[in-house]
Amino acid sequence: MPSPLLLDGKQIAAQIRKELKAANALRISIGQRPPLLAAVLVGNDGGSESYVAHKIKACADVGFESRLLRCSSAISQSELLSVVHGLNQDEQVDGFIVQLPLPEHIDEQVINLAIDPSKDVDGFHPVNIGRMALGLPSYLPATPAGICELLRRNGITTSGMHAVILGRSHIVGSPLAQLLARPGEPGNCTVTLCHSKTVGLRDHCLRADLLVAALGKPGFVKADMVKPGAIVVDVGTTRVADPSRPSGFVLRGDVAFDEVAPLCKAITPVPGGVGPMTIASLLTNTCQAFLHR
Ligand code: NAP
């Protein structure tokens, strides 16, 4: 079996940022302002802090403006709704995100529903999900959109493939199933969407031409679950304790990379695969929001 193609999300995300930066510089040269992304961060969860910091830095890299709104973890749901209403009405803000997860006393769906769909650059609002389902222009959820772009820019044509997705979350697995099943490229797949109640999961995986793991279970996909020649996309990013690292942890994907990679036609690494593509998609959505306004 030849060496697998490494689907290098870091490199492709850098290319996308370069394109966004060039287009932004051109707009600024004719007197326009840059797009502005706002991020709401509730509490100080380490993972959320790090994700938001990456998003803010990515904005600076391409010349977009950003605004970080920090809220205490004790913020009430109605106070957080006021923050969202303020951003909906703020003419300077093109798009914004409310970093998940939120504290348990806050209903994420109530907050999600309050976001103006035209500023919903995470693509989580039902209006955007519904428009995506109908194939209408919309903000696509960043991680599934990033995966599709990663496949597209690596010249992988998915038409006719059997795609098996592990995990049915609203932000990754379910929207990705829709995108891969719809007509077009990437798309035109026959999709099997698996979850914790799926019976015969290994047999489903073994039939996959394209296997996407989005469970949050480090090393879950082993070599005996992968068809030789399959394309494997690892969405998982779990912090696993590692005292030898300055950070005290290491990021682990849902795929046992060392044993699975030799079987694959192509595979994403963790880190450096889907993660950077997610941020690139968020920037793309922010740029779209700016252009629509
Ligand atoms: P989630 O909301 O926790 O959903 C996990 C899904 O996996 C659920 O649908 C669950 O099934 C399913 N599952 C759990 N155990 C399973 C098992 N043994 N067999 C089959 N299915 C199983 O997770 P998420 O938000 O989609 O995130 C998944 C992973 O991706 C996490 O590691 C997360 O950190 C990572 N992630 C990465 C990025 C990125 O940019 N790289 C972005 C988003 C998420 P049920 O529905 O039946 O419970």
Side-chain angles (χ1 to χ4, degrees), residues 41 45-56 239 249 279:
L41 179 59
D45 169 74
S48 296
E49 289 266 3
S50 153
Y51 295 139
V52 168
H54 278 111
K55 292 168 187 176
I56 299 283
R239 287 181 168 199
F249 66 86
I279 295 184

Side-chain angles (χ1 to χ4, degrees), residues 33 36-40 67 69 78-98 109-122 125 128 139 289 293:
R33 67 166 178 85
L36 192 153
L37 172 73
V40 181
R67 197 187 289 171
L69 288 90
S78 61
E79 286 168 332
L80 186 55
L81 280 172
S82 298
V83 172
V84 168
H85 292 315
L87 290 168
N88 284 342
Q89 278 151 23
D90 189 331
E91 281 301 317
Q92 289 182 325
V93 173
D94 297 301
F96 66 96
I97 60 163
V98 179
Q109 281 312 332
V110 170
I111 302 300
N112 186 29
L113 283 166
I115 296 174
D116 178 343
S118 74
K119 293 192 176 188
D120 167 40
V121 287
D122 256 340
H125 191 280
N128 283 312
Y139 300 118
R293 284 157 60 80

Side-chain angles (χ1 to χ4, degrees), residues 109-174:
Q109 281 312 332
V110 170
I111 302 300
N112 186 29
L113 283 166
I115 296 174
D116 178 343
S118 74
K119 293 192 176 188
D120 167 40
V121 287
D122 256 340
F124 296 162
H125 191 280
V127 166
N128 283 312
I129 301 273
R131 290 182 67 89
M132 175 186 70
L134 294 172
L136 297 170
S138 66
Y139 300 118
L140 298 178
T143 302
I147 292 169
C148 290
E149 194 61 13
L150 187 63
L151 295 172
R152 196 175 72 76
R153 291 195 183 223
N154 274 286
I156 293 172
T157 50
T158 60
S159 206
M161 281 187 177
H162 181 195
V164 175
I165 301 170
L166 308 182
R168 60 177 163 183
S169 74
H170 294 312
I171 62 170
V172 186
S174 293

Side-chain angles (χ1 to χ4, degrees), residues 143 167-169 171-172 195-197 201 214-217 220 235-238 274-275 278:
T143 302
R168 60 177 163 183
S169 74
I171 62 170
V172 186
H195 45 77
S196 66
K197 306 292 183 289
L201 186 101
L215 312 92
K217 301 226 175 285
F220 182 90
V235 184
T237 44
T238 305
V274 174
T278 297

